[in-house]
Amino acid sequence: MNKIIMVLFLFLSVLKVNGQNASIDSTKNRENIQFKYKSLIIPTVLIGYGVVGLMSPTLKDINNSVKNEFREHDDKKVSLDDYTQYSPFLSVYALNALGIHGKNNFKDRTIVLATAYLIMGGSVNIIKKTSKVTRPDGSDTRSFPSGHTATAFMGAEFLHQEYKDISDWYGITGYVVAAGTGLFRMSNEKHWLTDVATGAGIGILSTKIAYWVQPLIKKTIFKEKYKRNGIVMPFYNGREYGLGLSVTF
């Protein structure tokens, strides 16, 4: 079962659906907002799996099987997930600091990240408080969905969107790390498989929404206006002198 789950997560980490390239380049194409419904397939399936799992006896049995499989083969608890959840989105800033520039400048990508984090964090906390699912280790009733996994997949999608025009491997690496975070959460008996799947879906969807609404946020909150460039030059037409003014909006 361990191998099956690992293959499932690695498959999701590299799977690309037509339309996943829906994005906004706020620096180059401020008015180019592209919304493609196909890009919602993966996060919708992941979230749907988790929601159905709240009531489905079959999916609950799978949850218990996965828990028992991890307990049987791996009795060591590793806290790497507390750090790996942040690795994908921090990588974006690290790569830019190293001179490998992504799609957006510092301000624009920070707006996207902050928006995604607010959407993701708000959604996860509201669902945790209302669903009240007990964790596999019985420590509390805030198991569904996995916040660590949501943060990791939010960052993985962020990394993918920023660097997909340079190389797909940046995004693939981010998704592998995010998948590993989910596996650690199950291995540490902090989350069920359905928790992790829903967290992954929420994380991906939050980042996609953040890119779609970024131009609106910049226009309404930051009051960004188009730059005006002007130049003043002296002229002489053979009879008189003067100054010429040229302004580009």
Side-chain angles (χ1 to χ4, degrees):
M1 178 66 73
N2 255 345
K3 293 181 179 179
I4 295 176
I5 299 300
M6 177 66 78
V7 171
L8 172 63
F9 271 86
L10 291 179
F11 174 73
L12 289 174
S13 73
V14 300
L15 182 62
K16 296 185 70 177
V17 178
N18 290 333
Q20 186 170 355
N21 289 337
S23 62
I24 298 171
D25 185 340
S26 59
T27 357
K28 299 177 181 177
N29 301 297
R30 290 188 174 92
E31 303 301 325
N32 183 25
I33 303 175
Q34 298 178 358
F35 179 87
K36 295 185 179 180
Y37 293 100
K38 289 183 179 180
S39 64
L40 301 179
I41 292 177
I42 291 179
T44 300
V45 169
L46 290 171
I47 294 171
Y49 177 86
V51 171
V52 173
L54 294 175
M55 299 174 289
S56 169
T58 300
L59 296 186
K60 287 182 179 180
D61 287 342
I62 294 176
N63 278 344
N64 284 310
S65 297
V66 172
K67 170 187 172 181
N68 294 333
E69 191 72 18
F70 274 113
R71 179 178 290 179
E72 180 180 347
H73 293 92
D74 189 5
D75 57 354
K76 296 180 180 179
K77 301 295 185 290
V78 182
S79 59
L80 283 176
D81 44 316
D82 290 333
Y83 306 99
T84 57
Q85 62 173 322
Y86 303 114
S87 298
F89 76 75
L90 289 177
S91 297
V92 174
Y93 291 88
L95 288 168
N96 276 274
L98 292 173
I100 307 174
H101 299 294
K103 178 166 58 179
N104 288 304
N105 58 37
F106 179 85
K107 175 185 176 182
D108 292 344
R109 67 174 177 269
T110 302
I111 292 173
V112 170
L113 179 61
T115 304
Y117 211 103
L118 286 173
I119 296 171
M120 180 275 298
S123 301
V124 167
N125 283 312
I126 290 173
I127 297 173
K128 279 180 178 293
K129 290 180 180 180
T130 55
S131 61
K132 296 182 179 180
V133 176
T134 304
R135 294 184 188 273
D137 63 359
S139 58
D140 60 45
T141 57
R142 291 174 56 84
S143 186
F144 182 84
S146 170
H148 282 63
T149 308
T151 301
F153 276 86
M154 176 202 73
E157 179 65 15
F158 180 54
L159 179 61
H160 165 69
Q161 292 292 340
E162 287 296 308
Y163 285 95
K164 63 185 179 182
D165 294 332
I166 298 176
S167 173
D168 284 335
W169 284 105
Y170 291 106
I172 291 172
T173 301
Y175 270 101
V176 170
V177 172
T181 301
L183 290 172
F184 280 129
R185 296 306 284 170
M186 290 188 290
S187 176
N188 292 335
E189 295 190 12
K190 290 298 182 182
H191 287 290
W192 306 99
L193 175 60
T194 45
D195 304 336
V196 169
T198 300
I202 291 174
I204 296 171
L205 184 60
S206 297
T207 300
K208 288 184 179 297
I209 293 174
Y211 274 96
W212 289 330
V213 302
Q214 182 200 25
L216 179 62
I217 291 175
K218 289 178 65 177
K219 182 178 180 181
T220 57
I221 298 179
F222 293 91
K223 307 295 183 181
E224 180 170 294
K225 298 179 180 180
Y226 291 106
K227 294 181 179 179
R228 296 180 176 88
N229 298 316
I231 184 171
V232 178
M233 296 183 64
F235 72 87
Y236 174 66
N237 61 12
R239 292 181 300 176
E240 54 189 7
Y241 297 90
L243 292 175
L245 173 64
S246 175
V247 179
T248 303
F249 293 90

